[in-house]
């Protein structure tokens, strides 16, 4: 068992006490993004670096009404301990919404409420990954998943992502070359790339997995944020026994209630519930009750349409400014939903250098390297458009394009 | 790598799809308690099996006031994403309270807010335990810790617990025999035994650990529930560089806000923050803001004194009834705080059989075996007194004593 010994980097001076940590900690990437976000907390900075929903679209009054109702009607219960699986009416609501939105038959027993959808990734890692197991992931892949899974010490197999989804040929090759435990992907408005898999690509991927001992984890944090209000098929439709779906209320209701869920076939769910209980007994029950009260008394569909329209306008503005202002050698995605545009810089231009130069002009962008498990992505950037006003997008993209143009000169 | 293959126990019929889970799942005890608690959900049952605070003592109106204030004054922020470490004013409040209550100098930077104190145990396991590492634990030990740590596949070394605390001779022996990564204990009103370590015993244990490469995890969920309002020294006073403390608002404010915290020296905290971020990004921010608003605007000290007085009366009633009604061969602890009495049955009487017989008389008790990592405890029971009225305690202990007297006849 290899151990990592760190000297004490503490405040308590002098005794030189040595701490020993579990081997897995050495394998977990440090939070590069958090360090960047600290730099960008300054309100003068125009930040495209984060991944926050637009706070103007959070319905504070609706949440306040829901909370007051829950506490007035059932406060003693809502403030007590509860079940590991989560509030059953909320799980039923989620199941019904899958039926309505995607035509999926999901039992509430196949749904577990989590502390945000990030916790789903931790639980999935706990339940499925033994050290050295093989996990396939998109390239670029979601940083939060890379972090969560890394603690369980898998071998990552990154598979190239195109504008229409995962590369089927490379995926087929990876499946043949190694016993892949599961593939993790974000088929709708991927983080970081903004890519949405086409229906054909979903079918191709599903066919490659059918009946194999490889599961598919579909992270659907952005499924409700398709700008056309379009719902593309879930992999559960093609592979009901092999698909795990993760969902979140953070993007459609509010991140501060920290509420997500995971959908899994019964045999997997049984293990997830054991892992959830060991991890934190159950999710915040007051927030579960608030979410249910909100979802059943406020008009969530209208709220979602408002969010879709706003993000669509912001994304279109960002993309049109980039078309206008960036050198032709800069490539970028055209998102159909979600919160991000993905930029590939011209040959030889480093995104870390772009980050540093544009920060001097009070604009923050996110270099793409943390989204790569293989050290790649040094010429990529992620830009967030959800949490900026049109004015900020205009000013920020203008400055970013100028910096890149300056660097792109021969 | 050993793997556990389970056949699908699902609803989806027939294809016979086989799931493979991570090796660690085979090592995690199934939730015996949860199964029992399901049996006891029937409101006719007098339950001493659970571990719930008394819902009558939850200040619903105070929480409602705090919530309304937070949402009215800073709703958009309280409902947005937040920092992994937690709301700094809340961490400062906790630090100040340690100073006032225990004379400890703790920086808010040494405090991380968690999703209940159960999550502290998961994070500690993640950060400190590699598979095969040695962990010392009380015998009997807290079930939630056994579950959380088991997922990281340690070797447990149970150390006998006496009425005045851990057995120092056996602990010294275990420390010599194996490189113990950490000792986990509940020095105040232990769960399940109700035992509080004497001051002398704390000093003895601390001396054995001083300067050694073994940490001490002090689970202090019940420190504020000492019936005499007494605050015994934390191990941090003796071993500042080696002590991790876990705390919880569940017993003094409300379990439904699912809010706990962990205190650790800076070098350990750095790793815990990485693990927390990978596990769920951050704790429920709305609930953190509610807790802080409540703690700074309501009279928490008076509320705690009310809880102490009520639990003290209920514990004394339970113990006095047991003295009066149980056969002399039944032994039990006299708790100085917390929520539990621990019962050791006469030679040859099985607690599972007591559980089954007394359940037929609509009384639920908790057999002690899940609190043992070595298969022991078959003659032990845990009784909860916090969540029962005096009438229920009288009726329930009467029936339990009758069942045990019947079984104790030669």
């Amino acid at each position: 068992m290899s151990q990592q010994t760190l000297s004490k980097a503490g405040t308590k001076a002098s005794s030189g006490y040595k701490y020993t940590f579990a081997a897995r900690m050495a394998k977990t990437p440090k939070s590069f993004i958090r360090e960047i976000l600290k730099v960008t907390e300054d309100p003068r900075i125009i930040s495209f670096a984060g991944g926050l929903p637009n706070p103007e679209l959070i319905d504070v009054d609706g949440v306040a009404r829901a909370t007051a109702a829950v506490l007035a009607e059932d406060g003693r219960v809502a403030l007590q301990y509860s079940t590991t699986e989560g509030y059953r009416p909320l799980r039923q609501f989620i199941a019904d919404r899958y039926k309505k939105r995607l035509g999926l038959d999901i039992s509430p027993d196949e749904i577990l409420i989590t502390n945000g959808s990030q916790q789903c990734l931790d639980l999935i890692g706990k339940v499925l990954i033994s050290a050295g197991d093989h996990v396939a992931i998109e390239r670029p892949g979601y940083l939060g998943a890379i972090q969560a899974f890394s603690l369980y010490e898998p071998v990552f197999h990154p598979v190239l992502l195109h504008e229409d989804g995962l590369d089927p040929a490379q995926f087929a090759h990876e499946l043949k070359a190694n016993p892949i435990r599961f593939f993790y992907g974000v088929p709708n408005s991927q983080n970081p790339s903004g890519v949405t898999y086409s229906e054909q690509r979903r079918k191709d991927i599903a066919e490659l997995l059918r009946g194999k001992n490889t599961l598919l984890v579909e992270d659907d944090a952005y499924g409700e944020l398709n700008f056309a209000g379009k719902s593309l098929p879930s992999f559960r439709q093609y592979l009901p026994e092999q698909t795990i779906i993760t969902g979140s209320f953070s993007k459609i209701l509010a991140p501060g209630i920290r509420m997500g869920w995971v959908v899994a076939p019964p045999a997997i769910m049984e293990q997830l519930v054991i892992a959830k209980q060991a991890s934190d007994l159950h999710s915040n029950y007051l927030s579960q009750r608030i979410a249910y009260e909100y979802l059943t008394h406020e008009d969530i569909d209208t709220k979602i349409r408002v969010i879709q329209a706003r993000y669509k306008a912001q994304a279109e503005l960002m993309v049109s400014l980039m078309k206008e202002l960036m050198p032709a050698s800069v490539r970028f995605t055209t998102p159909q939903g979600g919160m991000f545009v993905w930029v590939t810089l011209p040959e030889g231009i480093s995104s870390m250098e772009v980050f540093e130069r544009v920060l001097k002009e009070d604009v923050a962008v996110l270099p793409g390297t943390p989204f790569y498990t293989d050290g790649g992505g040094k010429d990529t950037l992620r830009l967030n458009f959800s949490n900026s006003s049109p004015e900020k997008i205009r000013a920020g993209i203008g400055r970013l394009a100028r910096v890149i143009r300056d660097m792109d000169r021969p």
Side-chain angles (χ1 to χ4, degrees), chain A:
Chain A
M1 214 173 324
S2 82
Q3 298 293 347
Q4 169 198 29
T5 304
L6 298 180
S7 64
K8 187 175 170 262
T11 53
K12 282 247 168 246
S14 66
S15 85
Y17 190 86
K18 297 271 190 207
Y19 297 99
T20 308
F21 298 106
R24 73 179 64 81
M25 296 309 293
K27 298 182 182 169
T28 302
K30 246 222 161 150
S31 176
F32 174 67
I33 285 197
R34 281 206 102 69
E35 298 311 307
I36 286 191
L37 291 184
K38 277 179 194 165
V39 175
T40 65
E41 265 171 13
D42 185 333
R44 286 169 314 176
I45 304 263
I46 295 174
S47 179
F48 305 134
L52 303 187
N54 197 319
E56 288 170 21
L57 302 176
I58 295 176
D59 178 13
V60 176
D61 293 343
V63 172
R65 280 192 295 274
T67 309
V70 165
L71 289 174
E73 287 158 22
D74 204 20
R76 264 179 228 301
V77 172
L79 291 172
Q80 185 57 284
Y81 282 108
S82 186
T83 58
T84 299
E85 293 83 353
Y87 185 50
R88 198 176 172 87
L90 179 62
R91 292 152 68 210
Q92 183 68 59
F93 179 94
I94 294 167
D96 293 345
R97 196 165 176 88
Y98 277 118
K99 181 70 182 171
K100 196 178 93 183
R101 196 164 73 83
L102 295 163
L104 297 175
D105 288 308
I106 293 174
S107 154
D109 294 331
E110 294 178 288
I111 297 174
L112 167 70
I113 305 293
T114 59
N115 191 28
S117 76
Q118 179 70 22
Q119 192 184 36
C120 304
L121 305 176
D122 179 57
L123 298 176
I124 288 166
K126 261 197 180 108
V127 160
L128 294 178
I129 306 173
S130 289
D133 277 357
H134 299 272
V135 169
I137 185 164
E138 295 153 325
R139 182 181 195 275
Y142 174 50
L143 166 75
I146 294 171
Q147 284 187 310
F149 299 152
S150 289
L151 280 167
Y152 302 100
E153 306 174 71
V155 177
F156 283 113
H157 298 273
V159 179
L160 205 59
L161 200 57
H162 302 288
E163 276 268 7
D164 63 348
L166 203 69
D167 187 300
Q170 196 200 338
F171 189 50
H173 170 78
E174 295 292 350
L175 288 172
K176 266 195 192 139
N178 285 293
I180 305 284
R181 179 55 46 95
F182 63 84
F183 163 68
Y184 165 85
V186 188
N188 295 316
S189 309
Q190 200 240 13
N191 183 356
S193 71
V195 159
T196 294
Y197 291 26
S198 69
E199 199 165 336
Q200 185 55 49
R201 195 54 82 237
R202 288 167 204 246
K203 285 180 188 160
D204 298 341
I205 300 300
E207 276 321 303
L208 289 170
L209 291 176
R210 190 175 305 286
K212 293 228 174 64
N213 192 19
T214 299
L215 302 174
L216 186 143
V217 177
E218 172 179 295
D219 183 337
D220 196 27
Y222 309 100
E224 298 254 24
L225 297 190
N226 184 288
F227 298 152
K230 210 169 135 186
S231 291
L232 282 153
S234 162
F235 279 97
R236 172 140 172 153
Q237 183 179 314
Y238 308 119
L239 299 168
E241 293 185 312
Q242 285 168 260
T243 302
I244 298 172
I245 309 174
T246 72
S248 173
F249 289 120
S250 293
K251 277 78 186 179
I252 56 173
L253 208 166
I257 63 164
R258 215 71 208 92
M259 198 88 347
W261 66 86
V262 52
V263 180
I268 299 175
M269 183 48 68
E270 198 182 318
Q271 302 292 313
L272 289 172
V273 169
I274 292 171
K276 170 72 179 170
Q277 192 189 17
S279 298
D280 61 2
L281 289 184
H282 65 77
S283 294
N284 189 302
Y285 189 50
L286 176 59
S287 283
Q288 293 184 62
R289 297 294 301 269
I290 294 171
Y292 180 72
E293 181 73 18
Y294 185 95
L295 293 164
T296 51
H297 287 81
E298 309 282 334
D299 181 2
I300 185 73
D301 290 308
T302 300
K303 306 267 183 241
I304 290 172
R305 278 195 296 273
V306 170
I307 297 171
Q308 286 165 352
R310 177 81 78 94
Y311 289 5
K312 179 173 190 277
Q314 290 170 196
E316 285 175 354
L317 176 62
M318 186 176 271
V319 166
S320 73
L321 286 165
M322 289 175 69
K323 281 183 183 153
E324 185 187 329
L325 303 171
M326 290 284 175
S329 53
V330 173
R331 287 178 294 128
F332 43 86
T333 55
T334 301
Q336 299 167 40
M339 317 203 305
F340 305 106
V341 170
W342 183 247
V343 181
T344 306
L345 298 166
E347 188 79 29
I349 293 194
S350 141
S351 57
M352 265 314 289
E353 203 182 325
V354 170
F355 165 74
E356 280 160 19
R357 287 207 195 186
V358 76
L359 190 60
K360 286 189 191 133
E361 306 200 26
D362 292 341
V363 176
V365 297
L366 190 66
T369 47
F371 300 98
Y372 289 77
T373 55
D374 55 8
K378 292 187 171 48
D379 56 352
T380 60
L381 292 173
R382 189 189 76 177
L383 302 182
N384 169 260
F385 53 76
S386 59
N387 191 21
S388 286
S389 64
E391 295 68 39
K392 284 184 174 179
I393 292 173
R394 268 186 214 103
I397 295 297
R399 292 180 218 167
L400 176 64
R402 201 170 54 237
V403 163
I404 294 175
R405 279 201 311 271
D406 283 351
M407 291 171 73
D408 195 34
R409 277 174 198 153

